[in-house]
Amino acid sequence: GLEMLNRLKEDSLVPVRFTDMDVPEAREVDDKLVMLAKSLRCPVVTNDYNLNRVAQLQGVMVLNINELANAVK
């Protein structure tokens, strides 16, 4: 996963940014990711179904890795 993120950062036409920001008011990882994406106004990239649904319900754009791979095929 980290190798792929590094490749995306180096080769992507779209800016890829890494951050160590935290969302202390959220305890669960999925909640932190969704809240951070909302505050940064950026999409969540995932293949996790539950994270996908939670983010969509909260109005955060989701890029589903499986759907993106199928679209490229």
Side-chain angles (χ1 to χ4, degrees):
L2 293 176
E3 182 180 326
M4 182 55 71
L5 284 174
N6 196 38
R7 283 178 48 198
L8 280 171
K9 184 177 179 183
E10 292 173 2
D11 301 336
S12 180
L13 299 175
V14 178
V16 175
R17 190 171 86 191
F18 296 94
T19 183
D20 61 354
M21 293 172 63
D22 189 19
V23 183
E25 59 273 13
R27 292 184 39 178
E28 300 295 323
V29 173
D30 288 1
D31 294 335
K32 287 180 181 275
L33 289 169
V34 171
M35 291 175 78
L36 188 58
K38 273 181 117 168
S39 70
L40 295 175
R41 295 184 176 175
C42 64
V44 171
V45 180
T46 186
N47 65 348
D48 183 281
Y49 179 79
N50 290 329
L51 175 56
N52 188 331
R53 297 296 296 154
V54 168
Q56 285 181 341
L57 288 171
Q58 296 202 23
V60 174
M61 178 190 278
V62 178
L63 300 175
N64 183 297
I65 295 170
N66 296 326
E67 290 175 7
L68 292 170
N70 288 332
V72 171
K73 288 181 185 177

